[in-house]
Amino acid sequence: PESFVVQIPRDQILRYPPPENARKYEALRRRGERGNCCCRCCCFLICFLLFLILAVGIAALVLYLVFRFKAPNYAVTNVAISGLVVTSSGPISPVFDVTIRANNPNSKVGIYYLEGSSVDVLFNGVSLSSGVLPAFYQPSRNVTIVQTALVGSGVVLGSTATTALVNDQSQGFIPFEVKTRAPVKIRIGSVNTWKITVKVRCDVVVNSLTSPAVVSNSCHYNVRLW
Ligand SMILES: *[C@@H]1O[C@H](CO)[C@@H](O)[C@H](O)[C@H]1NC(C)=O
């Protein structure tokens, strides 16, 4: 009897299985699927671990900020005033030269004071002058004295503020409000935070307009973390 050799590709046999191959095909298919599933599991696990590490890092940073971070403190130590004429009823152009003492008491934390800050001086709710803080980096355990000129123009005091100013001047007790808004980044070890906005409000009392000495000064601030 003659015999023939017929060659058929293996996958074709498996794809259209005769009954005896059906089980083998099914087993092969399932193994393939299981491999795929395992790969997906690994991928998910790695993503999850990365996410966990990130979350722990952020939590550690926030905990450090909340518990170990010593709040910097600020004080207006010196004020020189010009152009604040009480007698004139027309618009005035007051100039305040303000000296601010910024103290960073932290041992491992530095502060970047960024561009885009604003400083305003108000009397009795009337904005008199404004300016900016210089951008600088304050290293840990550092006191930096910052001087800035705050300039106003076309300011109309109004009768209420004028009366109050005349009265306060005669008593040698003139309260100003210095409002600062500063974008900062905090450096912890070698990691920098995102940009944080710090608002500092100082109540500064001087004893005279012509040669003012600061008689009282208290600053409080609030922080917007994002
Ligand atoms: C604080 O830092 C500034 C700027 O880096 C530096 O010029 C100054 O000497 C430092 N002051 C102190 C007391 O360390």
Side-chain angles (χ1 to χ4, degrees), residues 1 12-13 34 52-53 56-57 62 66 82 90 92 98 102 116 119 133 146 156 186:
Q12 222 164 48
I13 301 176
R34 217 180 303 136
L52 206 67
I53 290 170
V56 167
V62 169
V66 170
S82 61
I92 51 172
V98 176
V119 186
L133 290 176
V146 178
V156 179
I186 295 170

Side-chain angles (χ1 to χ4, degrees), residues 201-219:
R201 216 197 89 182
C202 296
D203 292 310
V204 182
V205 181
V206 298
N207 60 357
S208 123
L209 288 183
T210 45
S211 59
V214 176
V215 293
S216 152
N217 154 65
S218 84
C219 299

Side-chain angles (χ1 to χ4, degrees), residues 2 11 18 36 48 51 53-54 59 66 112 147-148 162 174 189 219:
E2 289 181 56
D11 62 330
N36 226 345
F48 181 72
F51 173 77
I53 290 170
L54 193 71
V66 170
Y112 292 94
Q147 210 165 0
T148 181
T162 304
I174 312 157
C219 299

Side-chain angles (χ1 to χ4, degrees), residues 11 13 15 28 56 97-98 103 113 115 159 164 169 218 226:
D11 62 330
I13 301 176
R15 198 174 306 143
L28 278 174
V56 167
D97 270 304
V98 176
N103 174 23
Y113 291 88
E115 302 276 347
S159 59
Q169 203 178 2
S218 84
W226 25 70

